[in-house]
Amino acid sequence: MVSLWGSKKGQENDNEPEEREERPTSSSRHEPPERRSHEADERTRLLPPRDSQGYLDPGDPAVSPYNLWSVRALRYFSILFLAITFIWWVILFVSIFVSPPGMHSRGSGFFDVSFTTLTLGNLLVAILFFAVPSKALEVSNYILAVFLLINMVIILAIPRLRVEEGWVGIASVVWAFVISLYNVLTDRVVAWGKKEEEERLTGRQETRRSLREWCAVLTYTVINVILIIVVVLMTGTLSVRARDSTLEAPGEKYYVDDGKYEVHMQCIGNLTFATNKKPDATVLVEAGEEPFEYTLESFVHAAYTNGSISRYCYWDRPGMAFSDNAPSPHSAGMSADALSNALAQAGEEGPWVLMSAGIGSIYSRIFSSRHIADVKALILIDPLHEDLLYQVGAPSKGFLLWAYGFISPLGLERLFAAIFKGRSREDRIYGRSAHNGGKNIKARLQESLVANSLTKSEVSSARNIQQKDTPLVVVSSGIKVRSDSEWEKKQEDLTHITDTLVAWDVVRKAPHQVWKTFDGRKTIEKRLAELVRA
C-alpha cells in the first residue's frame, strides 16, 4: 500500500505543472486569441498589412513600373520611334551613294546622318535602361535637348546652312530635338510609376539601389556624357560653318542639272579680238586634286598680269570651294556637263585653251571631246592617265573617305585648327583646311566611287572622239617621271591623244604641282602664251 500511495503521489506531483500550464489566468482570458498565439518580437510589423497577403519584397519582380499601362505605352512608343529612326538612318546612309528623288541636299549630307545616329543612340539607351530612371539620365537628356535646340536654331537662322542642309537636314535635327524631350518625359513618367508601385506593393518608396541598378546608372551616364560631347562638337562645327558662310564667293554662281545645285565660276579679263574680228582664246582652267583658289590661282593670275594671257576663266567642281555638292553618283562626265551649262548661262562661248592639272585633266579631256569646235588647244600639267584611275577608285580609299566623312561633323581637325592655329574662312573653304570639310570629302568620295567605272568609260570614249588636229602640250613632273616608271610611260602615252603635239616638257626637280617651282612656272607660262597666240 505504501508503494501504491507513493506511486500515486508521485504521479500527482508530475502532472501538476501541466495542469498549471493549462489553467488560464484571469488576465489572459480577456486577450484576443491572435495575441495569445502570436507574441510580438523584432519581426512584428508596426503597421498592419492592407490585405491578408501582406507587402512584397522590393526586389520582387512583381514590383515594377511596367504594371502601369502608361509606362508600357511609353515603352512601345520608344520602340516604334527607334524603328522609324533606323529606317530614316538607312535611307540617309544610302543617299550618300545614290541620292533618292527629292532627297538631295546641296551640302555634304553627313550632318543628316550624324543627327540621326545621335537620335538612334539616345533612343537605344533609353530603351535598354527604361526601368531604371535616374536624375542623371534626366539631366543629361535636358543638356542634349538644349544643344540640339541650338543646332536647330543655327541651321534655320543661317540662310546658307539652311540651303545646304535642305529639308532632309532640318527634319533630322528637329527629330533629334523632339526625341531628346520625349526621353525626358519618359524618364519622369517611369520614375513616377516606379514610386507608385513601390508604395502600393511594398508600403514605401525604395530609395536604395541594387548593384545591378548602380551599374546600369553608371553605364548610361557614361554613354550620355559621350553623346553630349558629340553634340557639343557638332554645335562648334555648325558655328564655324555659320562663320564661313559670311565669305562671299567671287564671280557668279549658276544653277545646273535642272536647278538641283549651284556651281561657282569666275572670268577675269576682257575679251580681245584679233584682226579677223574673231575673239582671242580664253584660258579655261580645271584644277587638280585641290581647289583652284589654293593652287593655280596665283600662278594663272600672274600670267594674266604679265600679259602672257589676256583672259581666263575658272570654276569649282561640285563640292569644291564655293560650289554645292551634286547628287550621287556623280562622274567626271556629269561635271563636264555642269560646266557646259554654267558657261552657257554666263554667255561664254570660247574659243578655249583648256589648262588642267592632275586629275583635272580627266575632266578637261571629256569637256574637250564634247566641245570640239570651241576648243583651240590643250595644256595638261602632270596629268592623270585613265589607266591609273583604279588608284582613285580603290575600295580602301573609298571606305576611308566615307569613314572620314561620317565623323566630319565633329570637326575635330577644323575646330582645333580654328582655335589653336588661327585658320581663317578662306583656309576652310578653299585653302589648306578645305580637305577636312564635309563638302570636299563628299566630292572626293563621289569621285572615288565611279572613278574606275563611269568616269573611266567616259574618258576612254573622249579619247576616241577627241579632234586629232588639236594642239597639245604636256608638262610633266621631273620628280615623278624619274621615280615612277609607270607614271613616265603613261605621261608619254598622253602625248598621243592628239596628232598635234606642240611639246612634252619634263621639268627637272618639279613636284606633281609643277608650277610651285620657278622653272615650272616659266615653262607653263611660255607654253600658255604660245597656244593662246597661235
Side-chain angles (χ1 to χ4, degrees):
M1 294 299 292
V2 176
S3 60
L4 181 60
W5 282 104
S7 173
K8 183 177 181 181
K9 186 177 181 180
Q11 289 178 359
E12 290 177 356
N13 292 336
D14 292 339
N15 294 335
E16 187 175 355
E18 295 180 5
E19 292 176 359
R20 289 177 182 174
E21 290 179 4
E22 291 176 358
R23 291 194 195 100
T25 62
S26 59
S27 59
S28 65
R29 290 175 185 173
H30 302 286
E31 293 181 359
E34 292 180 0
R35 184 172 179 180
R36 291 200 305 267
S37 59
H38 300 286
E39 293 295 336
D41 56 20
E42 70 275 7
R43 292 186 176 85
T44 303
R45 293 182 181 273
L46 299 179
L47 295 176
R50 295 182 184 179
D51 51 40
S52 58
Q53 295 180 352
Y55 289 128
L56 299 177
D57 186 85
D60 196 306
V63 183
S64 170
Y66 290 126
N67 296 336
L68 302 176
W69 68 268
S70 57
V71 175
R72 295 197 303 273
L74 284 176
R75 180 175 173 82
Y76 294 145
F77 275 117
S78 296
I79 296 174
L80 175 64
F81 292 155
L82 180 67
I84 293 172
T85 305
F86 179 73
I87 294 172
W88 181 246
W89 184 88
V90 171
I91 294 173
L92 294 180
F93 176 80
V94 172
S95 68
I96 294 176
F97 306 97
V98 181
S99 300
M103 288 193 64
H104 165 63
S105 60
R106 289 159 61 180
S108 66
F110 291 122
F111 261 89
D112 315 342
V113 179
S114 295
F115 282 126
T116 308
T117 304
L118 186 71
T119 307
L120 272 177
N122 204 3
L123 279 170
L124 195 58
V125 170
I127 292 173
L128 290 176
F129 305 105
F130 192 84
V132 190
S134 75
K135 200 67 177 177
L137 183 61
E138 182 180 342
V139 171
S140 60
N141 276 315
Y142 270 125
I143 296 174
L144 278 174
V146 169
F147 277 100
L148 286 170
L149 177 62
I150 294 173
N151 287 353
M152 184 172 66
V153 170
I154 292 174
I155 292 175
L156 293 175
I158 306 299
R160 185 61 196 168
L161 298 187
R162 191 167 61 244
V163 167
E164 287 185 353
E165 296 303 322
W167 75 266
V168 176
I170 294 172
S172 298
V173 68
V174 170
W175 180 247
F177 171 66
V178 169
I179 290 300
S180 62
L181 290 182
Y182 170 79
N183 282 345
V184 171
L185 172 66
T186 299
D187 189 70
R188 293 177 71 95
V189 171
V190 173
W192 166 81
K194 189 172 183 291
K195 175 185 174 183
E196 287 292 313
E197 288 302 287
E198 287 174 349
E199 289 180 349
R200 183 175 71 87
L201 298 176
T202 68
R204 63 184 178 85
Q205 182 182 1
E206 183 63 39
T207 58
R208 298 170 300 174
R209 293 185 185 273
S210 64
L211 178 60
R212 182 179 180 181
E213 288 178 326
W214 276 118
C215 289
V217 171
L218 177 63
T219 301
Y220 66 61
T221 301
V222 171
I223 295 175
N224 272 16
V225 167
I226 294 174
L227 294 180
I228 291 172
I229 294 173
V230 167
V231 77
V232 167
L233 290 173
M234 292 176 67
T235 305
T237 305
L238 277 177
S239 301
V240 169
R241 287 179 60 191
R243 167 65 178 161
D244 295 344
S245 68
T246 61
L247 182 63
E248 293 293 332
E252 299 293 335
K253 299 178 77 172
Y254 302 95
Y255 280 101
V256 295
D257 195 7
D258 296 327
K260 290 187 176 69
Y261 61 99
E262 285 182 309
V263 294
H264 167 246
M265 186 176 68
Q266 184 180 24
C267 291
I268 308 295
N270 298 318
L271 281 172
T272 57
F273 294 86
T275 54
N276 57 3
K277 296 184 180 181
K278 291 184 179 180
D280 291 330
T282 299
V283 178
L284 183 58
V285 186
E286 184 75 57
E289 293 77 13
E290 297 176 294
F292 168 85
E293 296 87 342
Y294 182 58
T295 53
L296 283 164
E297 183 179 32
S298 59
F299 160 69
V300 175
H301 195 74
Y304 166 74
T305 304
N306 296 337
S308 300
I309 58 176
S310 59
R311 191 167 187 266
Y312 71 92
C313 295
Y314 71 92
W315 81 308
D316 297 320
R317 293 196 297 272
M320 307 292 281
F322 295 101
S323 293
D324 298 334
N325 283 105
S328 296
H330 189 78
S331 65
M334 296 175 187
S335 282
D337 291 339
L339 175 58
S340 302
N341 196 337
L343 289 170
Q345 293 181 57
E348 300 288 344
E349 298 178 352
W352 308 108
V353 171
L354 301 183
M355 186 179 85
S356 56
I359 197 171
S361 62
I362 298 291
Y363 297 83
S364 283
R365 289 170 57 193
I366 296 174
F367 179 86
S368 175
S369 69
R370 297 178 182 182
H371 299 81
I372 294 174
D374 300 326
V375 175
K376 183 178 179 181
L378 288 168
I379 177 169
L380 309 180
I381 305 173
D382 210 34
L384 178 70
H385 195 281
E386 59 266 27
D387 290 346
L388 300 179
L389 279 171
Y390 72 90
Q391 298 175 352
V392 178
S396 58
K397 182 176 181 179
F399 175 79
L400 290 175
L401 285 170
W402 172 82
Y404 195 26
F406 188 80
I407 64 173
S408 64
L410 301 179
L412 298 175
E413 290 186 49
R414 304 204 110 192
L415 292 174
F416 180 84
I419 296 172
F420 299 105
K421 296 183 178 180
R423 296 288 190 261
S424 63
R425 297 174 298 171
E426 293 80 2
D427 289 327
R428 291 188 291 271
I429 293 177
Y430 57 78
R432 48 189 167 177
S433 295
H435 68 280
N436 53 40
K439 287 172 53 181
N440 188 287
I441 296 171
K442 174 72 174 293
R444 287 184 287 148
L445 176 61
Q446 289 176 319
E447 189 177 69
S448 174
L449 290 173
V450 296
N452 207 29
S453 53
L454 289 177
T455 296
K456 186 174 182 179
S457 174
E458 290 166 346
V459 73
S460 297
S461 299
R463 184 162 189 163
N464 296 326
I465 300 171
Q466 177 63 53
Q467 193 78 15
K468 297 302 180 183
D469 60 354
T470 303
L472 171 67
V473 170
V474 178
V475 182
S476 301
S477 161
I479 294 177
K480 293 202 69 175
V481 165
R482 285 169 174 76
S483 62
D484 189 340
S485 59
E486 184 180 14
W487 186 265
E488 180 184 11
K489 180 181 177 182
K490 297 304 180 183
Q491 293 291 294
E492 182 182 2
D493 182 66
L494 286 171
T495 63
H496 302 298
I497 60 175
T498 73
D499 296 335
T500 314
L501 179 65
V502 176
W504 176 28
D505 298 307
V506 179
V507 183
R508 294 182 58 205
K509 298 182 180 180
H512 178 57
Q513 295 181 335
V514 180
W515 59 91
K516 285 191 173 183
T517 64
F518 175 77
D519 289 340
R521 289 194 299 271
K522 184 179 177 180
T523 302
I524 298 171
E525 187 171 346
K526 174 185 174 183
R527 298 304 183 190
L528 262 179
E530 292 175 359
L531 294 176
V532 169
R533 294 166 185 167

